[in-house]
Amino acid sequence: MGGGGRGSGGHTAAPDVLSAPLRVQFDYTRSVGPTIGTFLAKLRARRIVGVRGSDGRVLVPPPEYDPVTSAPLTEFVDVADTGTVQSWTFVRDPLPGQPFDRPFAWALIKLDGADTTLLHAVDVSTPEDIHTGLRVVARWADETIGSIKDIACFEPGETSTAPAESSADGEPIEVLITPVDLQYTHSASPQETIYLRGLAEGKLLGGRTDAAGKVYFPPRGANPTDGRPTDEIVELPDRGIVTTFCIVNVPFMGQRIKPPYVAAYVLLDGADIPVLHLVLGCDASEVRMGMRVEAVWKPREEWGFGLSNVDHFRPTGEPDADYETYKHHL
């Protein structure tokens, strides 16, 4: 698996590019501070507040710092949960995760008592049901938790539906957890496609402009110094040198290896750019700059179109490379 070297280059016709759906999901956790924390706590109590700026305007949602003076803002002002649509756009085909699974509108709404607008969903079924100047009222969620989603949406109307017992704020909101879910289709470049198809065959393929050019792994579409295309494909061996590394000691969500372990930049023999990967097979404290390593491939039946076909790198037991060999690649 892997083989060849700098002398195995050849120009390859561009293939039909690969593409695949990708999805990134994680929970983004942040501390909110006193301003946003107060805003969220009031929402949990089915109330809406803004802050008064240095120019006298009531700003909703409340920013932490004055847009004019940049000073912290601390004067909270209650505003109504009724307001007026200032502008809007209609959504005929909602996406997953949006407030409705049926047509609705997004609108900028100036709440009564506020001087700025709040973006939120308006429950209307056709574009004819919404217009600039439409009076709307908040529809509150059945259960409130301290989130902008405590306002389920707005709907045409004039009268607040917030329950009378909504005055108690309860414990302050200090942390906000926001689920992030990104779905998109990635189309590989021609050079990236050659690289990915090579990985599916157990090959490590780099790219360069010509025999005198640097070998990039993974290959790039163009040489960053002169813009010439890196169309010459070079098959590289699956051995190399550790140039720099980091010992990971801190656990995190989704981690598949128990710390401590090493993430290192490995300069494959014949390449001019190191690639980031795991170095296992020895104690983390034994990994060092200049260490010779080799790829450990996953079983053939587990291969796909990705560098994850290489499970990790491990020490070869060969003498360390001389610093002069890799110092220009740090």
Side-chain angles (χ1 to χ4, degrees):
M1 302 171 189
R6 190 179 286 269
S8 62
H11 288 274
T12 304
D16 293 333
V17 298
L18 294 172
S19 63
L22 297 178
R23 186 175 189 178
V24 180
Q25 291 178 288
F26 62 94
D27 286 340
Y28 178 67
T29 303
R30 58 161 291 188
S31 56
V32 296
T35 303
I36 297 175
T38 298
F39 176 67
L40 296 176
K42 298 292 185 180
L43 287 176
R44 185 178 55 195
R46 296 183 173 88
R47 298 166 58 194
I48 305 175
V49 297
V51 290
R52 192 178 303 280
S54 62
D55 56 3
R57 293 185 304 155
V58 176
L59 313 175
V60 180
E64 296 177 277
Y65 299 96
D66 193 286
V68 178
T69 66
S70 299
L73 295 173
T74 58
E75 184 185 347
F76 290 96
V77 179
D78 283 294
V79 299
D81 64 356
T82 55
T84 304
V85 170
Q86 303 297 300
S87 63
W88 57 275
T89 185
F90 193 74
V91 181
R92 295 185 185 276
D93 300 304
L95 297 174
Q98 290 190 326
F100 297 99
D101 58 3
R102 50 185 167 77
F104 72 99
W106 290 112
L108 289 172
I109 300 165
K110 181 184 287 188
L111 298 175
D112 298 339
D115 295 293
T116 58
T117 56
L118 173 75
L119 176 66
H120 218 299
V122 179
D123 186 7
V124 289
S125 56
T126 70
E128 289 71 32
D129 295 329
I130 187 170
H131 57 85
T132 299
L134 178 69
R135 293 289 294 168
V136 292
V137 59
R139 181 194 300 165
W140 293 91
D142 293 335
E143 180 180 356
T144 55
I145 60 174
S147 162
I148 190 61
K149 293 183 178 180
D150 290 345
I151 302 175
C153 66
F154 283 81
E155 58 190 5
E158 285 276 4
T159 305
S160 173
T161 59
E165 65 272 15
S166 65
S167 58
D169 297 340
E171 293 296 319
I173 303 294
E174 298 180 346
V175 174
L176 179 65
I177 300 176
T178 303
V180 175
D181 188 349
L182 303 176
Q183 300 182 61
Y184 58 98
T185 298
H186 172 72
S187 295
S189 67
Q191 291 83 0
E192 186 182 10
T193 293
I194 293 171
Y195 158 75
L196 295 173
R197 291 190 188 278
L199 286 169
E201 298 174 0
K203 299 176 182 179
L204 303 178
L205 301 179
R208 64 184 174 187
T209 55
D210 52 44
K214 288 185 176 182
V215 176
Y216 294 97
F217 179 84
R220 303 182 181 183
N223 186 314
T225 60
D226 58 23
R228 291 186 297 157
T230 53
D231 288 338
E232 184 175 336
I233 304 303
V234 179
E235 185 174 350
L236 300 166
D238 58 1
R239 288 173 170 245
I241 303 164
V242 172
T243 58
T244 58
F245 66 94
C246 171
I247 298 177
V248 180
N249 291 297
V250 179
F252 54 85
M253 187 177 296
Q255 199 171 35
R256 64 183 182 89
I257 301 175
K258 183 179 179 180
Y261 61 90
V262 173
Y265 277 100
V266 176
L267 180 68
L268 297 176
D269 296 343
D272 291 289
I273 300 294
V275 64
L276 182 65
H277 217 300
L278 298 172
V279 174
L280 306 175
C282 66
D283 190 275
S285 63
E286 297 177 14
V287 177
R288 56 197 177 274
M289 295 171 66
M291 173 183 275
R292 294 281 301 167
V293 293
E294 63 184 357
V296 177
W297 294 75
K298 292 180 178 178
R300 178 67 180 84
E301 60 271 16
E302 297 180 19
W303 288 0
F305 295 95
L307 191 56
S308 58
N309 293 352
V310 175
D311 185 74
H312 62 274
F313 284 81
R314 68 185 176 194
T316 65
E318 300 170 281
D320 289 0
D322 185 272
Y323 177 70
E324 294 296 321
T325 305
Y326 61 88
K327 69 177 183 179
H328 299 297
H329 307 287
L330 296 177

